[in-house]
Amino acid sequence: MSDVNKTIQKWHASFRKGTDFDSWGQLVEAIDEYQILARQLQKEVQSTNSSDFTEEQKKTLGKIATCLEMRSGSLQCTQSKEEFKLEELKKLETIIQNILTYNKEFPFDVQPVPLRKILAPGEEENLELEEEEDAAAGAGSTEAFPPRAPASQGTLLPRLPSEPGMSLLTIKIEKIGLKDAGQCIDPYMTISVKDMNGVDLNPVQDTPVATRKEDTYIHFSVDVEIQRHVEKLPKGAAIFFEFKHYKPKKRFTSTKCFAFMEMDEIKPGPIVIELYKKPTDFKRKKLQLLTKKQLYLHLHQTLHKDS
């Protein structure tokens, strides 16, 4: 089987998986599957190196991605009338299977969507100023490490080698409390360690996209290995946790809120920290609590010391 046929087979399996979840009422899983497939199709549409598909076929793939996004959006908006039904989406299955030979008119009047953008911290606020007046002071960050493009699998790094007399810190991100937790699409955390001037001290890491949502909580249950020995962290440094999610209407991933942990808070065991409004203030000069409700970021710390 050729590589292109393997790719099509993989897309078809993902499509079937999503529609099965959808028909079984497992909406969170269906949304995740639809969005993963939509991103894969969009990536193919945007690829300039691939000659596997004609421009017409890429246009069709882009339209399928649009329909997947529309169905995903319909599942998110439970209070409104469905804009795109499961029965309609299922009509696209044969098109995916036969994309190399499909030459009929697309069954729905939609347009291909552009590839979603992942924006650096602070950039998304500039695009939202028309609807939100954010205080942008202190939002900037000096990038001392190469920028990353978050993937659904995350970009978490392994634990560093131990050194005699030195401690390494593992932080388990357990869950985050948000009043609209169930409405967040593709939620993930970006973890960074900054000095008091907002400069990166470690490579920045992203968690995988969280898939479990329960009431006002999004569960991560993922370990993050801090990429520097605790004793080598400078005074005034802090560990930042930025909660990010995808906005379908704006077609980009945005920071919703952030939290941070200072050096005197590093100790074994559970810790609950407050959430602050964006933009992320890495210098910690102008902080505004996200909510007065009892909603926090729940973490658990483990220190590993090589004696």
Side-chain angles (χ1 to χ4, degrees), residues 112-125:
V113 295
L115 186 66
R116 66 177 60 182
K117 294 181 287 185
I118 302 289
L119 300 181
E123 286 184 345
E124 67 269 12
E125 284 80 20

Side-chain angles (χ1 to χ4, degrees), residues 38-46 65 69 113-116:
R39 280 201 299 274
Q40 290 172 350
L41 297 180
Q42 289 169 6
K43 187 177 179 181
E44 184 62 47
V45 170
Q46 297 286 324
E69 294 277 13
V113 295
L115 186 66
R116 66 177 60 182

Side-chain angles (χ1 to χ4, degrees), residues 42-56:
Q42 289 169 6
K43 187 177 179 181
E44 184 62 47
V45 170
Q46 297 286 324
S47 173
T48 54
N49 300 324
S50 172
S51 57
D52 292 333
F53 301 97
T54 66
E55 288 306 310
E56 249 344 276

Side-chain angles (χ1 to χ4, degrees), residues 121 124-125 128 132 134 176-180 184 187-191 218 220 240-245 247 254-260 273-282 288-291 295-297:
E124 67 269 12
E125 284 80 20
E128 294 179 339
E132 298 177 16
D134 284 326
I176 186 172
L178 297 165
K179 61 182 180 180
D180 57 349
C184 294
Y188 68 94
M189 285 273 185
T190 294
I191 301 92
I218 295 174
F220 286 89
F240 282 83
F241 306 85
E242 296 175 89
F243 178 82
K244 299 180 178 181
H245 65 128
K247 292 192 169 183
S254 169
T255 301
K256 183 177 181 66
C257 59
F258 72 99
F260 62 88
I273 56 178
E274 293 177 317
L275 302 172
Y276 296 96
K277 290 182 180 179
K278 63 179 183 180
T280 309
D281 182 5
F282 292 121
Q288 277 187 291
L289 287 173
L290 178 68
T291 176
L295 297 171
Y296 306 100
L297 178 61

Side-chain angles (χ1 to χ4, degrees), residues 134-190:
D134 284 326
S141 157
T142 304
E143 289 287 348
F145 294 88
R148 307 97 49 240
S152 59
Q153 296 83 12
T155 58
L156 296 179
L157 298 167
R159 190 181 306 165
L160 292 175
S162 59
E163 288 185 19
M166 293 288 183
S167 306
L168 288 166
L169 174 63
T170 301
I171 300 176
K172 178 183 277 294
I173 302 176
E174 294 184 336
K175 61 184 179 180
I176 186 172
L178 297 165
K179 61 182 180 180
D180 57 349
Q183 297 172 22
C184 294
I185 300 175
D186 282 2
Y188 68 94
M189 285 273 185
T190 294

Side-chain angles (χ1 to χ4, degrees), residues 249-267:
K249 289 183 180 178
K250 293 180 176 292
R251 302 282 172 202
F252 65 77
T253 295
S254 169
T255 301
K256 183 177 181 66
C257 59
F258 72 99
F260 62 88
M261 203 175 73
E262 296 184 319
M263 294 302 98
D264 59 358
E265 295 175 288
I266 295 179
K267 55 191 74 170

